[in-house]
Amino acid sequence: MSNEPITLAQALSSFDALWSPRIVTRVNDYDARVAKVKGEHVWHVHEDTDEFFLVLDGELHIALREDGGERTVTLPTGAVFTVPRGTEHKPSAPGGAAILLFEPTGTSSVGDRHDEVPAHVDATTGHALPEPA
């Protein structure tokens, strides 16, 4: 991990893979991850941690299964939302989006419990950014 500044645009331009977060930096025991997303992720839950989303570009939808039933929150560019721990959720971005996530280091992108993971979704704890040239 670099100890030099990096812009989020630079980080996002360093890879093309969808639903495959890259670790931009670490803050204490948390990763700041960026990801490009398009289409649907998978229903999943993080039992022991909240999940923070910031939409950098595009629009993200997060379907939630809560006690009162299902609902979907829509996050335009610049919006933030935190999915509470233990809440089943499914992010999607029909038109594509770029997002920033804060999660404890080692947190799986498909949570602790999840539906079958389709081929277009990377089950990862985050990838390192490529080293600058």
Side-chain angles (χ1 to χ4, degrees):
M1 186 151 320
S2 174
N3 65 352
E4 296 296 322
I6 183 168
T7 67
L8 295 180
Q10 179 184 6
L12 286 161
S13 70
S14 72
F15 66 98
D16 293 319
L18 299 175
W19 299 111
S20 184
R22 299 305 194 265
I23 301 167
V24 178
T25 192
R26 289 200 168 97
V27 180
N28 298 318
D29 298 333
Y30 277 74
D31 291 341
R33 303 175 185 176
V34 292
K36 295 177 181 179
V37 298
K38 187 170 185 178
E40 294 190 354
H41 197 263
V42 61
W43 280 105
H44 67 284
V45 63
H46 303 280
E47 296 290 358
D48 298 319
T49 186
D50 301 335
E51 187 171 23
F52 172 90
F53 293 86
L54 165 63
V55 179
L56 301 169
D57 186 45
E59 184 175 89
L60 184 70
H61 302 218
I62 303 176
L64 304 160
R65 290 181 176 154
E66 301 169 311
D67 289 340
E70 273 188 31
R71 71 178 175 117
T72 299
V73 294
T74 300
L75 290 86
T77 298
V80 300
F81 185 76
T82 300
V83 175
R85 69 189 71 203
T87 301
E88 196 171 7
H89 60 287
K90 180 180 181 181
S92 64
I99 60 176
L100 174 75
L101 305 118
F102 284 108
E103 299 177 301
T105 299
T107 299
S108 170
S109 60
V110 295
D112 304 309
R113 289 186 289 114
H114 52 78
D115 286 350
E116 184 175 336
V117 180
H120 73 278
V121 172
D122 184 11
T124 180
T125 57
H127 298 285
L129 284 173
E131 290 296 321

